[in-house]
Amino acid sequence: MRRSRNLAAALALSLAGTGAGLGLGLVPQAAAVTPPVAFTADPLSTWQPNGVVWALAEAGGQVFAGGTFSTVRPPAGGVGSEQSAVNFVALDAATGAPTSCKLSFTIAAGSATVRALALSPDKTTLYAGGYFGAVNGTAVSSLAAIDVASCTVKTGFRPAFAATVRALAVTDDTVYAGGDFLSVAGQPRERFAAVGAADGALKPFTADADEPGRAVEVTPDGNSVVLGGDFFTVNGANTHALAVVDATSGALTKSYAGFIETNSVVKDIATDATGFYTANEGTGGGVFDGRIALNLGDFGQRWRDTCLGATQAVLPYQSVLYSASHAHDCSSVGEFPDGQRHHLLAQPTSGTGKLGWAPDTNDGIGEGIGPRVMTVGSKGGVQYLWVGGEFTTVNGAAQQSLTRFASTGDTGAPTVPVASAVSFKPGEVQVRWRTSLDLDDSALTYRIHRNGAATPIATVTADSLFFKRPQASWTDTTAAAGQTYTYRVTATDAAGNTSALSATASVTVPAQVDGYPNQVRADGAQQYWRYDESALPFAADSSVSGNQSGVHLNAPALRQSPGAVSGASTAIGFNGTDTQVYGDKRQTVGSTYTIETWFKTDTTRGGKLLGFGNNQARGSNQYDKHIYMTNDGRLVYGVYTGATRTVTTSAAYNDNQWHHVVASQGPGGMTLYVDGAQKGTLNVTTHENFSGYWHAGGDSLGGWPDRPTSEYWAGRLDETAVYPTVLSAAQVQNHYALATAPADSVVQVTAAEDTYANAGAPATNYGTSSSLAVRGTSFYAGYLRFDLPAAPAGTVLKAATLSVKTSTMSGAGTTDTVSVVPVTGSWSEGGTTYNNRPALGGPALGGFAGIADGSAVHTTALTTATVAAALGDGYGLALTSSGTDALWLWSSEAQANEGTPQLTLTFGAP
């Protein structure tokens, strides 16, 4: 295996004269990725062995790979043909192609393998360990020394190991080995031994272990050797999987009895200037599969990462610990729950939090482990992180057993953002999107484009990780009531790679506050899924904080209409088999909370509507604080306190009608409401405390009373909200009333006639012109006529806005104030001139305080009562100004109705 102490020395040599400092911080950070990550996540083309790579080492721009294989072949689409490579290949660090160094590791009987590679501190000698009897025909015994310059076996180095050597570490005068052997050169040495670096002569060092040794590392001061493996004793003393011994004698100096679980082992050890790190693998339940950092001063633990998914290798580099594993559950350290395997991770050497670097392989052939070893090679001022193992894909593309990542040349663009837009009140649009995934950049820049403009209206920066992609948002405070706007978002990484534009998110700004969602937000919802999205897989959070978005699983049906709340809002449909929405952000639930949703179903199989669980895309094994339906349509609200505690309705609600359900818990116990009315209480004030995610539409229900046939919901949900407080009965009733109140309706009326008068041409009629003009001196005035509808039965006019659009001519905007006033005299589009222009009334109904140049829509609110008095009749308006800067607008005669003057009328309940 690769030894990081030798890596540090090697880099110091290979980078001499480049201005690099001491230790492992040798190479400047790559500017194209998010620091402190030093490598891109874009795999480079590399020749591929046909078996497993167990060991890697680097010297002079060459990377040496050892393992169990017989050939290497070009990467997909590469030039060349398959070559013989018997358990060893030397590759150019910068191209990934074979070099002239050819070595074959063989054995007379059985299968030979190379399991460990390490270089002398001066990088002139490569030591190879494994199970083999010859190198290029020269007899050896499972450990050989290779002259790097000539690529030949050093015949003067002749140790005799009786079984497999699995780990090596090298100093100026000593080679330390760990493995399966029980003797060396005929002398007892159980699983660990030391031989002379020049001649292979056995040294007095004795650190006998009762089970195989898998890792060995020398501390930077050269005084101690850290051992790792399967063992439970070293030199007869209890110490499981990890031990520190004297570098000369092998005497035990630090034991670790009970420190690592008995069914876990240490697979790799690496050091830096501050400490050493272990890679751990376990079997069965209650294992330790993660990584440990220990200090050099006292060899005590600095931190422990308890992710599950056997770790095979660790590599500290520039204050980052890179690891090879198949981590599938990091919930114990507050990260991703049990699910997909992640094979390459990075975290700071100071702690367990994962960084934004996550290229991936598959499990591959053999044991199905994935990557097993890592090293860094350097050539031409570029550093390359090499990864070997038994995988057959990298980032989803075919690539076997070897891959590499460079410190420069980031080419991978972020994924396309999934955007939505919502407006709850006049003058404000919230644009939301699920942050993008970039495998080597956690900090991304998002640009928001409005109405198709090439220049973004806003720029936002936000962080995301492969397992944590929170909602980001920006609020447009220049959006006018009654107008429809479109928004698209792009994501750009540190190297300038930019995603495609998101799908278009469209929204119409209301003329007045939208009652139901505004009240949910005002009452303090911390998570609010309205289900109005038109694209998978993002469920936007419409709460004020806006950071608890959701993810659609297995494509639930979007934009189901009508929704539960009066108006344009839509619902979401679940199939009762596998669809749901789960929270995108891990959280805990306090002692007080309220959960709320609307539902509609005719199912006879029941299912969970809403609840809290410790997993995301697979069934939770901790779950409570939920509402579910029994097969006969009754609702159950339950918490777990060591036993299931529930409140159940007597009535059934599977009548295919919309219903409102609210459940709360606090100092007063549990309360369940349906359709605004209390349906039951229970004096229980506690629940199960765990970190997890809210689920809508399904999750586990095993062990709960009246458990339905299906754990998944078949029906629709709408307006799902979670509060950190207990909603009062009055608040619940108010939500129910607001949702069932008649919806506002919006009517848009285009100008039936429009023209303008010009004092410079007093007898000219402009009724067929594509433009309208407004100026005080010399005089222009624009005239508009609208045929207003009567208010729908049972409603009144609640708001009116006028929209106009500046033309594309240069200087079409104005610095002057433009007023909207009523027309009192009679006029017609075809007959009006300056000489017979109609009289104007007052006061002004609205106005524009200057309009910028550039063709764009501009909107002003009009006095509602004045417009309401003219409903059901024709109504004339004029645009006037007292200044000298002319305003030019499109008229109704403009091509393709390019901004036809328009009134937007909003009607609603009195």
Side-chain angles (χ1 to χ4, degrees):
M1 289 187 180
R2 169 269 334 124
R3 300 269 63 88
S4 62
R5 179 170 180 267
N6 301 323
L7 167 65
L11 286 174
L13 288 172
S14 64
L15 296 175
T18 66
L22 298 175
L24 287 179
L26 294 170
V27 183
Q29 294 287 352
V33 295
T34 302
V37 170
F39 303 98
T40 79
D42 304 317
L44 300 175
S45 61
T46 309
W47 279 57
Q48 305 165 57
N50 64 346
V52 178
V53 171
W54 295 96
L56 291 170
E58 184 270 348
Q62 287 189 101
V63 170
F64 308 109
T68 311
F69 50 86
S70 59
T71 64
V72 291
R73 65 186 184 279
V79 177
S81 57
E82 188 173 71
Q83 299 179 12
S84 175
V86 182
N87 301 314
F88 178 89
V89 65
L91 301 166
D92 186 283
T95 67
T99 69
S100 60
C101 180
K102 311 291 183 182
L103 298 172
S104 295
F105 289 74
T106 57
I107 196 165
S111 299
T113 184
V114 175
R115 292 301 181 100
L117 294 171
L119 284 149
S120 59
D122 63 5
K123 281 204 165 186
T124 62
T125 303
L126 172 68
Y127 295 91
Y131 181 66
F132 45 83
V135 180
N136 283 1
T138 299
V140 293
S141 184
S142 293
L143 180 61
I146 310 298
D147 179 72
V148 171
S150 63
C151 190
T152 58
V153 177
K154 289 190 171 184
T155 56
F157 181 83
R158 295 295 298 271
F161 282 79
T164 303
V165 173
R166 296 182 180 274
L168 294 173
V170 184
T171 66
D172 288 330
D173 58 5
T174 304
V175 177
Y176 296 92
D180 301 347
F181 51 85
L182 299 178
S183 65
V184 179
Q187 299 298 311
R189 291 293 190 274
E190 298 181 10
R191 281 91 183 195
F192 293 99
V195 299
D199 58 9
L202 183 65
K203 291 201 169 191
F205 176 91
T206 302
D208 290 342
D210 62 331
E211 296 288 347
R214 296 184 181 274
V216 59
E217 181 68 276
V218 182
T219 57
D221 61 11
N223 294 329
S224 300
V225 177
V226 187
L227 311 178
D230 301 6
F231 52 82
F232 289 87
T233 65
V234 172
N235 290 338
N238 290 332
T239 182
H240 174 52
L242 184 66
V244 181
V245 298
D246 181 81
T248 301
S249 68
L252 185 67
T253 59
K254 175 72 173 180
S255 63
Y256 293 91
F259 183 68
I260 294 174
E261 283 73 1
T262 57
N263 52 349
S264 296
V265 302
V266 169
K267 299 296 291 289
D268 188 26
I269 301 171
T271 65
D272 64 11
T274 66
F276 64 95
Y277 308 87
T278 69
N280 303 270
E281 176 185 82
T283 303
V287 302
F288 175 57
D289 267 348
R291 293 154 289 282
I292 303 174
L294 300 103
N295 298 314
L296 286 174
D298 60 1
F299 301 119
Q301 178 175 296
R302 184 193 312 162
W303 51 256
R304 180 179 292 225
D305 184 337
T306 54
C307 290
L308 295 176
T311 306
Q312 303 298 310
V314 285
L315 172 63
Y317 182 75
Q318 293 185 356
S319 299
V320 172
L321 185 69
Y322 297 89
S323 59
S325 70
H326 54 257
H328 58 86
D329 185 354
C330 286
S331 57
S332 61
V333 291
E335 296 175 335
F336 51 90
D338 193 16
Q340 178 184 345
R341 290 185 170 197
H342 303 279
H343 296 85
L344 294 169
L345 298 175
Q347 61 199 94
T349 54
S350 58
T352 63
K354 305 306 178 292
L355 298 171
W357 185 81
D360 204 15
T361 71
N362 63 356
D363 289 345
I365 58 177
E367 295 179 58
I369 293 292
R372 290 185 174 272
V373 63
M374 298 179 291
T375 197
V376 172
S378 176
K379 190 170 184 180
V382 178
Q383 286 66 55
Y384 300 91
L385 175 63
W386 282 72
V387 178
E390 57 190 271
F391 49 85
T392 58
T393 66
V394 181
N395 289 355
Q399 178 70 28
Q400 184 170 353
S401 300
L402 275 175
T403 190
R404 60 198 176 98
F405 307 94
S407 59
T408 60
D410 180 11
T411 60
T415 59
V416 180
V418 180
S420 69
V422 67
S423 181
F424 299 115
K425 59 184 178 182
E428 185 174 298
V429 171
Q430 185 188 50
V431 184
R432 302 88 53 90
W433 59 94
R434 189 185 190 205
T435 47
S436 297
L437 173 62
D438 190 296
L439 294 178
D440 46 33
D441 285 282
S442 56
L444 298 175
T445 299
Y446 298 89
R447 292 177 174 84
I448 301 98
H449 299 260
R450 187 173 77 172
N451 292 343
T455 301
I457 191 173
T459 300
V460 173
T461 58
D463 290 340
S464 58
L465 296 169
F466 67 92
F467 62 90
K468 185 167 63 176
R469 296 171 59 188
Q471 176 173 301
S473 65
W474 170 78
T475 300
D476 185 354
T477 57
T478 66
Q483 290 301 302
T484 298
Y485 295 89
T486 61
Y487 300 87
R488 302 181 77 180
V489 182
T490 64
T492 303
D493 67 13
N497 300 306
T498 300
S499 74
L501 285 161
S502 70
T504 299
S506 178
V507 63
T508 299
V509 183
Q512 65 173 17
V513 172
D514 195 348
Y516 184 89
N518 186 67
Q519 195 61 53
V520 170
R521 287 157 55 89
D523 284 342
Q526 66 179 13
Q527 177 175 303
Y528 184 19
W529 298 341
R530 300 206 71 202
Y531 307 120
D532 291 337
E533 293 75 33
S534 57
L536 299 166
F538 173 57
D541 179 10
S542 294
S543 70
V544 173
S545 59
N547 61 6
Q548 298 287 356
S549 55
V551 177
H552 302 123
L553 179 64
N554 295 324
L558 305 183
R559 298 197 64 78
Q560 301 296 289
S561 186
V565 177
S566 300
S569 181
T570 59
I572 190 169
F574 298 97
N575 62 13
T577 302
D578 61 359
T579 56
Q580 63 163 295
V581 177
Y582 60 80
D584 210 9
K585 183 178 179 181
R586 190 179 183 87
Q587 58 182 290
T588 57
V589 180
S591 59
T592 61
Y593 64 89
T594 299
I595 55 179
E596 173 183 40
T597 196
W598 287 78
F599 67 93
K600 178 181 181 181
T601 188
D602 59 1
T603 185
T604 57
R605 301 178 69 248
K608 182 180 289 193
L609 285 73
L610 175 63
F612 194 71
N614 71 333
N615 220 317
Q616 288 183 309
R618 60 174 61 183
S620 299
N621 53 40
Q622 287 179 289
Y623 42 93
D624 77 336
K625 298 176 283 293
H626 51 209
I627 301 167
Y628 61 93
M629 179 174 279
T630 63
N631 286 347
D632 59 6
R634 291 173 296 131
L635 294 176
V636 181
Y637 163 43
V639 301
Y640 185 73
T641 63
T644 58
R645 308 300 300 274
T646 60
V647 179
T648 305
T649 66
S650 58
Y653 295 94
N654 55 347
D655 57 3
N656 212 28
Q657 300 297 314
W658 279 113
H659 295 284
H660 179 229
V661 60
V662 177
S664 64
Q665 187 180 30
M670 301 165 59
T671 306
L672 177 64
Y673 301 87
V674 181
D675 294 339
Q678 186 184 107
K679 296 299 180 180
T681 62
L682 190 63
N683 187 25
V684 173
T685 60
T686 61
H687 54 79
E688 188 173 12
N689 292 314
F690 59 92
S691 296
Y693 312 85
W694 289 104
H695 295 251
D699 197 14
S700 304
L701 278 172
W704 284 80
D706 295 318
R707 181 184 179 187
T709 301
S710 175
E711 294 181 337
Y712 287 88
W713 173 250
R716 294 181 180 181
L717 294 180
D718 201 2
E719 307 292 332
T720 300
V722 179
Y723 306 79
T725 59
V726 173
L727 291 186
S728 68
Q731 287 175 306
V732 173
Q733 291 162 7
N734 186 36
H735 288 196
Y736 179 66
L738 284 170
T740 55
D744 290 349
S745 60
V746 176
V747 177
Q748 293 180 324
V749 183
T750 58
E753 293 186 289
D754 54 11
T755 188
Y756 73 98
N758 178 3
T764 302
N765 171 259
Y766 295 94
T768 60
S769 172
S770 62
S771 298
L772 300 174
V774 181
R775 184 169 61 194
T777 308
S778 59
F779 180 87
Y780 296 140
Y783 302 95
L784 313 170
R785 186 195 311 278
F786 298 92
D787 293 329
L788 302 183
T795 69
V796 296
L797 183 68
K798 301 178 77 173
T801 60
L802 171 68
S803 300
V804 294
K805 187 175 184 180
T806 43
S807 74
T808 53
M809 68 181 291
S810 177
T814 182
T815 59
D816 299 329
T817 296
V818 175
S819 298
V820 182
V821 298
V823 178
T824 58
S826 61
W827 65 281
S828 66
E829 180 181 88
T832 297
T833 66
Y834 176 80
N835 288 334
N836 66 1
R837 67 190 185 278
L840 305 180
L845 306 180
F848 303 91
I851 292 178
D853 286 344
S855 184
V857 174
H858 300 273
T859 300
T860 181
L862 303 182
T863 304
T864 304
T866 304
V867 178
L871 291 174
D873 202 351
Y875 189 56
L877 298 173
L879 301 174
T880 66
S881 170
S882 59
T884 59
D885 186 11
L887 170 69
W888 290 91
L889 306 172
W890 291 120
S891 76
S892 58
E893 279 75 22
Q895 282 188 343
N897 291 327
E898 173 95 37
T900 299
Q902 179 177 274
L903 279 180
T904 299
L905 308 176
T906 301
F907 298 96

